[in-house]
Amino acid sequence: MSRYFFSKVIALLAGIILLLIAYNHNVNSLHVISGNAYGTTWSVSSPQYIADNHKEAVKDIINDIDYVASNYKSESEISKINMNFNEFQFISDELFDILKIAKNVEDISEGYYNIMLGKISSTLGFAPDFGKNVLQKNLSTYELDEKNNSLIRFSENWFDLSSIAKGYAVQKIHEYLSSSNINNHLIDIGGELIISGSKNGIPWNVGIQNPSSNIDSSSLTINNENYDFLAIATSGEYRNFKVDKNGNKITHTINPQTLSSINNDILSITVINEYSATYSDAYATAFNAMGRIKAIEISNKYNIATMIIYDNNDDIDIVFSDKWYDLFL
């Protein structure tokens, strides 16, 4: 074998190896944009290129919703409504959409989802009070007038949209990316997720946090092998809680019936929706508030995919709604 032929073979093999390396890199590579918002982090991952104009558009969506729904910004639309009581108010299209979905979940949850507990959240230290009186003694609700995009409320109780705003933002980002033909993506805002399309031809895989672990470990993994779109929301008290001076655990989820922090055996709840991250976000909070047995009952009644991890006499157990099995079996 001549030296010339041997060098050609070596060059050919080297070229093949480089092609394989490049192919493997392209198959596994992702474009990722990320940032901070809503007191947490956000990210968008896609095998498709995310240009700078798309990154700026995503940031604008996040910021716009923050100025509608944040109960930490005194200048947000919802904060202005909270601090300036009027029975009848015109509201933005975005806020109308959020309140409409929240009202629907309130009805489905038989009142266990109520977004007018903002004063109690402030009292417990999970939101600012802006120097206002945040005493709340009663439960109240609201109505919407679709003819003129208006809000009708019956008390000075404050709205708290923390249980729905992140899901709404995730949904709006998904709609924007899809309209821009970036159909393959994973969107995450503080654990509120949408997985859409594929990751270089394979399904997206998402791990559900193990609530009994202090490190990031998964109880199980979800993928969208059988669905182009899945919205995933998890609610739990394993990270967002306080301890009072007597050592009692104060949770950020409030039971509307008692007007106090929840006290049940649920460690975390994961809800999957095939159409809307806004609904999955709200349902997760509603089910956390009502407790395990009622949550499975409502999930089965309305065909909602729900997984509940709970404390079973100091052992960790998991229960699923019927729809969950439909999704993954």
Side-chain angles (χ1 to χ4, degrees), residues 133-201:
N133 179 6
V134 291
L135 179 64
Q136 179 174 335
K137 296 182 178 180
N138 302 307
L139 189 65
S140 66
T141 188
Y142 61 95
E143 293 180 0
L144 297 169
D145 186 343
E146 297 203 36
K147 292 181 180 178
N148 50 23
N149 259 41
S150 60
L151 165 67
I152 305 164
R153 58 179 175 148
F154 311 108
S155 78
E156 296 187 36
N157 290 343
W158 285 3
F159 288 93
D160 181 350
L161 304 181
S162 60
S163 63
I164 195 170
K166 290 196 297 292
Y168 185 76
V170 169
Q171 186 67 30
K172 286 298 177 182
I173 293 169
H174 163 74
E175 291 170 5
Y176 168 77
L177 293 174
S178 298
S179 70
S180 302
N181 293 317
I182 304 176
N183 298 305
N184 304 296
H185 52 256
L186 184 155
I187 307 165
D188 179 0
I189 301 182
E192 308 301 329
L193 305 171
I194 281 178
I195 49 179
S196 176
S198 67
K199 178 184 176 183
N200 294 299

Side-chain angles (χ1 to χ4, degrees), residues 70 100 109 173 302:
S70 174
K100 184 176 180 179
S109 69
I173 293 169
Y302 290 97

Side-chain angles (χ1 to χ4, degrees), residues 10-303:
I10 294 297
L12 178 62
L13 289 174
I16 291 172
I17 291 170
L18 288 173
L19 284 173
L20 289 173
I21 292 172
Y23 173 78
N24 186 63
H25 172 75
N26 288 333
V27 164
N28 292 288
S29 65
L30 289 174
H31 297 278
V32 180
I33 58 175
S34 61
N36 298 293
Y38 311 154
T40 186
T41 59
W42 65 268
S43 66
V44 176
S45 305
S46 176
Q48 299 172 255
Y49 178 63
I50 305 175
D52 287 344
N53 65 304
H54 296 311
K55 181 176 182 179
E56 293 307 312
V58 168
K59 287 181 178 179
D60 287 343
I61 291 170
I62 291 171
N63 290 333
D64 289 347
I65 294 170
D66 203 26
Y67 276 97
V68 169
S70 174
N71 58 350
Y72 280 87
K73 287 183 167 62
S74 60
E75 66 272 28
S76 74
E77 183 178 6
I78 202 64
S79 289
K80 290 177 180 178
I81 288 171
N82 283 339
M83 290 184 281
N84 299 280
F85 175 72
N86 285 298
E87 242 181 60
F88 181 93
Q89 289 172 286
F90 295 106
I91 58 177
S92 67
D93 291 342
E94 291 80 7
L95 183 56
F96 191 92
D97 288 343
I98 293 170
L99 296 184
K100 184 176 180 179
I101 293 172
K103 189 64 177 174
N104 186 226
V105 175
E106 179 185 329
D107 294 340
I108 288 171
S109 69
E110 299 177 7
Y112 276 95
Y113 185 72
N114 187 296
I115 57 170
M116 295 194 72
L117 300 171
K119 286 189 175 182
I120 296 175
S121 294
S122 296
T123 300
L124 296 176
F126 292 107
D129 61 18
F130 301 113
K132 303 291 186 178
N133 179 6
V134 291
L135 179 64
Q136 179 174 335
K137 296 182 178 180
N138 302 307
L139 189 65
S140 66
T141 188
Y142 61 95
E143 293 180 0
L144 297 169
D145 186 343
E146 297 203 36
K147 292 181 180 178
N148 50 23
N149 259 41
S150 60
L151 165 67
I152 305 164
R153 58 179 175 148
F154 311 108
S155 78
E156 296 187 36
N157 290 343
W158 285 3
F159 288 93
D160 181 350
L161 304 181
S162 60
S163 63
I164 195 170
K166 290 196 297 292
Y168 185 76
V170 169
Q171 186 67 30
K172 286 298 177 182
I173 293 169
H174 163 74
E175 291 170 5
Y176 168 77
L177 293 174
S178 298
S179 70
S180 302
N181 293 317
I182 304 176
N183 298 305
N184 304 296
H185 52 256
L186 184 155
I187 307 165
D188 179 0
I189 301 182
E192 308 301 329
L193 305 171
I194 281 178
I195 49 179
S196 176
S198 67
K199 178 184 176 183
N200 294 299
I202 61 175
W204 293 99
N205 284 289
V206 175
I208 303 302
Q209 173 71 34
N210 180 353
S212 64
S213 174
N214 292 323
I215 60 174
D216 287 331
S217 63
S218 300
S219 296
L220 81 166
T221 301
I222 293 169
N223 68 62
N224 65 329
E225 181 178 3
N226 299 320
Y227 299 87
D228 187 62
F229 171 101
L230 289 178
I232 306 163
T234 298
S235 179
E237 313 308 314
Y238 51 93
R239 285 186 175 173
N240 193 3
F241 66 89
K242 300 176 183 291
V243 178
D244 68 15
K245 62 183 179 181
N246 298 317
N248 299 313
K249 185 177 179 181
I250 308 298
T251 66
H252 76 290
T253 300
I254 299 165
N255 182 338
Q257 294 192 349
T258 64
L259 299 182
S260 60
S261 292
I262 62 171
N263 181 19
N264 57 43
D265 60 6
I266 293 174
L267 299 176
S268 76
I269 288 187
T270 298
V271 176
I272 298 179
N273 190 282
E274 299 158 84
Y275 309 101
S276 169
T278 317
Y279 272 98
S280 60
D281 193 6
Y283 280 141
T285 297
F287 295 157
N288 200 22
M290 70 178 64
R292 171 171 52 92
I293 295 173
K294 186 73 172 176
I296 292 298
E297 176 190 320
I298 296 293
S299 295
N300 288 337
K301 180 178 179 180
Y302 290 97
N303 206 30

